[in-house]
Amino acid sequence: MSSPTPPTIRLQIEFSGGLELLFSHTRKHTVNLPSTVPNSTRPADASYLILYLRDNLLKERPELFEEKGTVKPGILVLINDTDWELEGEGEYELKDGDEIVFISTLHGG
Amino acid sequence: MASSPTPEFPPLDLPEYKRYGRQMILDGFGLEGQQKLKAASVLVVGAGGLGCPALQYLAAAGVGRIGIVDHDTVESSNLQRQILHNEETLGLLKVDSAAQFVRRLNSLVQVTTYPNALHPSNALEIMRPYDIILDCTDNLPTRYLLSDSAVALDKPLVSGAAMRFEGQLCVYNLNASSASSTSPSATPDKGPCYRCLFPTPAVGGGTCEEVGILGVVTGVIGNLQAAEAIKIILGKNEPKPSLLLYSFLYSPPFRSIKLRGKKANCAACGDAAGGGGIDFGNMDYVQMCGGATPDWLKEGMKAGSAGSRVTPQELKSAIGTDCNTVILDVRPRTEYGICSIEGSTNIPITELLANPSSALTSIAPSGDVYVVCRLGNDSQLAADALRQTSQEVGGDVDGGRKVVDVIGGLRLWSRAVDEKFPVY
């Protein structure tokens, strides 16, 4: 007997470089993300996660996080400690237990 | 008798054996390691929080030639982290203050100072005589300029950055042919440049003056920049590109991230750029990064539209004549905790703008409202928002309540009204 597909996947989300200020001033979050994009059969990917976080977790100034369906310039996305560009960027299909880190690049010194 | 040194590197003088002995006896370092350092040259761009610790260790280790670029002068607010400067060098050019320290520490090091802001017209000329470039700057336009120039000159760029409690370290343009000791046929893949990672500049982000910086954080990153430079000189650097993150607040404090390689379509170092890189002469880096950062001190002093702003003296006399005067301080809570005008109320600007009507109801129900902040910029936004909200909810219900903000903020308040009020 096969078990039904779980409706959500559990992700560890972390913000740094000042992005945590937009998310309740909290660096680490656990997010239960719908495993498919609502009203579609598309599996939840990194692009969907960005919009989901913007709509459900972000507390202020959304323009500093999301732009044109992806992260704002100057933000690096890491999937399990690897630059998301090596993982397919927005098309990366999220798996239960993945750790996604959003880092704002710093300029100061 | 000393063994005969490797011929392609300069020989060491007798006192140098004693001076550098502790590192020369390390396996994998040896006589040749010291000779490589002596033959090497490093340009440190920025003699501030990152540049100071980097310079200190590069000079102590015996790097033969060091260049220092900075156009700024030493201020007392620098001393909390810019450890080469001191009370006696206040007001001096940072390059002179730093060079003085380096010469006292190690007179064998040849130091060259450049009291200039780096600009497309001088960057290549200043950087060309050095093997390795350290980006210890504090602003985005210069970071892009340094990266593009390092690509054009085919030099590795050791980049550090720090803000608040966090720091970042990355080596760009790694395995540039000039720094690679491997034979051309086995040249490893080139690392990314700054533009490969950040093709589009991020606008905004704040400065250390605006959002704060802890001294040990720049110290950690600056030291790591020196370490990376020394590794490249010795040929011991990690060939795969990575980004190191440091946070003072978290455990474990370090995190290393595997980065993409050089991007084939990068405007600066990609194949399409033909190896020639960006056309500097026509590049306005400041404009590219969203224009010049406003001079907030000056902006905060503007007179504003008629009746919307008052001077600190006017606030002072209002406090003296009307006991209902409401002083609303919109700085962050932590700054409010440092110093505040007696009897004032604190609602941070982010909370106020998110919900101006709730802010209006949470303060005293009557009396004119005087909004203050650090320099007089956020207070203008806050007063505008409050006036607009007050109009929307019917306005003037309590008999023409006035909302104004204070020109020059608490900085000017301290200068013009209460000289005992701290300036930070």
Side-chain angles (χ1 to χ4, degrees):
Chain A
M1 236 175 73
S2 63
S3 57
T5 318
T8 61
I9 46 175
R10 200 175 166 81
L11 304 172
Q12 301 301 322
I13 308 291
E14 191 173 327
F15 301 102
S16 86
L19 278 178
E20 66 279 8
L21 303 178
L22 309 179
F23 292 86
S24 318
H25 293 243
T26 305
R27 188 182 177 103
K28 289 187 177 180
H29 302 256
T30 301
V31 166
N32 291 306
L33 186 77
S35 52
T36 53
V37 179
N39 306 317
S40 81
T41 53
R42 195 179 111 211
D45 55 16
S47 290
Y48 171 55
L49 175 67
I50 291 166
L51 300 179
Y52 181 89
L53 293 175
R54 180 198 65 188
D55 296 338
N56 295 282
L57 202 62
L58 184 132
K59 288 288 184 279
E60 52 186 271
R61 293 173 286 170
E63 70 280 5
L64 296 184
F65 177 66
E66 182 267 345
E67 190 178 297
K68 295 176 190 158
T70 186
V71 286
K72 188 183 176 278
I75 297 177
L76 278 182
V77 184
L78 312 174
I79 297 169
N80 301 322
D81 273 340
T82 297
D83 186 349
W84 77 334
E85 184 164 296
L86 300 172
E87 303 284 345
E89 290 199 339
E91 289 168 20
Y92 172 82
E93 281 184 23
L94 294 157
K95 296 185 302 293
D96 198 64
D98 276 349
E99 185 198 37
I100 317 294
V101 184
F102 296 88
I103 302 169
S104 184
T105 174
L106 304 176
H107 320 144
Chain B
M1 184 190 145
S3 72
S4 59
T6 320
E8 71 245 52
F9 296 115
L12 298 190
D13 297 324
L14 204 54
E16 294 179 273
Y17 286 86
K18 188 163 189 191
R19 175 168 196 140
Y20 302 119
R22 294 295 189 276
Q23 60 198 36
M24 287 170 67
I25 61 174
L26 293 169
D27 284 340
F29 190 102
L31 173 62
E32 191 181 303
Q34 196 59 50
Q35 288 179 285
K36 282 179 176 171
L37 287 180
K38 188 174 183 176
S41 54
V42 177
L43 182 70
V44 177
V45 184
L50 299 167
C52 284
L55 281 165
Q56 183 175 23
Y57 276 95
L58 292 172
V63 169
R65 202 155 52 77
I66 295 178
I68 313 172
V69 187
D70 206 312
H71 65 286
D72 234 343
T73 53
V74 180
E75 293 175 32
S76 73
S77 64
N78 301 148
L79 301 184
Q80 147 272 13
R81 66 190 185 286
Q82 303 184 13
I83 48 147
L84 302 196
H85 314 310
N86 60 69
E87 292 174 15
E88 282 166 25
T89 64
L90 288 174
L92 292 188
L93 280 165
K94 286 184 181 177
V95 287
D96 291 336
S97 172
Q100 190 184 85
F101 182 101
V102 167
R103 289 187 181 115
R104 280 183 189 162
L105 170 63
N106 193 345
S107 60
L108 304 174
V109 176
Q110 194 187 322
V111 188
T112 309
T113 56
Y114 305 87
N116 317 85
L118 213 64
H119 188 268
S121 65
N122 64 14
L124 293 180
E125 190 190 335
I126 292 175
M127 290 163 68
R128 191 170 282 117
Y130 297 88
D131 303 330
I132 300 172
I133 314 298
L134 260 58
D135 180 350
C136 302
T137 62
D138 62 359
N139 66 86
L140 197 55
T142 313
R143 290 185 183 275
Y144 277 100
L145 171 59
L146 274 172
S147 176
D148 291 348
S149 310
V151 168
L153 294 169
D154 204 14
K155 292 178 193 292
L157 176 67
V158 182
S159 174
M163 192 79 86
R164 299 186 186 91
F165 295 105
E166 285 183 277
Q168 298 172 351
L169 173 80
C170 189
V171 184
Y172 295 109
N173 206 34
L174 197 60
N175 305 320
S177 53
S178 60
S180 176
S181 54
T182 44
S183 64
S185 58
T187 302
D189 291 340
K190 268 200 181 184
C193 75
Y194 194 65
R195 269 185 204 273
C196 293
L197 247 61
F198 305 107
T200 311
V203 176
T207 64
C208 290
E209 189 190 346
E210 289 161 35
V211 303
I213 177 70
L214 196 66
V216 290
V217 173
T218 47
V220 166
I221 300 297
N223 276 302
L224 286 169
Q225 288 182 269
E228 287 303 319
I230 290 169
K231 277 201 255 180
I232 294 170
I233 293 167
L234 298 178
K236 293 189 178 304
N237 56 298
E238 170 62 42
K240 291 211 170 92
S242 67
L243 171 70
L244 186 72
L245 309 177
Y246 167 73
S247 173
F248 174 84
L249 294 175
Y250 293 93
S251 178
F254 287 101
R255 177 170 203 149
S256 181
I257 283 134
K258 215 196 304 170
L259 285 182
R260 68 194 78 168
K262 155 185 137 100
K263 253 181 140 166
N265 62 353
C266 173
C269 73
D271 303 333
I278 291 272
D279 181 6
F280 285 86
N282 296 316
M283 178 71 67
D284 184 338
Y285 285 85
V286 173
Q287 214 48 50
M288 181 188 93
C289 297
T293 310
D295 181 343
W296 293 119
L297 195 63
K298 225 164 149 184
E299 293 291 315
M301 300 288 274
K302 283 187 174 163
S305 58
S308 66
R309 311 200 76 193
V310 299
T311 62
Q313 292 90 338
E314 286 174 271
L315 170 58
K316 171 84 177 163
S317 62
I319 297 169
T321 54
D322 179 4
C323 60
N324 283 333
T325 300
V326 176
I327 307 168
L328 178 60
D329 189 324
V330 297
R331 290 175 298 156
R333 285 202 176 80
T334 305
E335 291 186 39
Y336 185 76
I338 296 171
C339 52
S340 60
I341 297 177
E342 203 186 331
S344 60
T345 304
N346 181 218
I347 302 177
I349 183 75
T350 49
E351 289 172 30
L352 186 144
L353 292 180
N355 197 346
S357 63
S358 133
L360 207 56
T361 52
S362 71
I363 55 176
S366 64
D368 293 341
V369 180
Y370 291 76
V371 188
V372 296
C373 65
R374 188 182 184 184
L375 300 177
N377 295 297
D378 283 348
S379 59
Q380 296 181 57
L381 300 177
D384 280 343
L386 291 177
R387 280 189 292 261
Q388 202 182 336
T389 307
S390 150
Q391 257 171 21
E392 280 163 10
V393 298
D396 297 354
V397 279
D398 49 21
R401 186 177 205 185
K402 185 170 76 174
V403 178
V404 292
D405 85 294
V406 178
I407 294 170
L410 294 166
R411 187 70 62 93
L412 189 58
W413 170 266
S414 174
R415 212 169 69 204
V417 172
D418 179 5
E419 59 179 23
K420 294 221 169 86
F421 194 88
V423 169
Y424 62 90

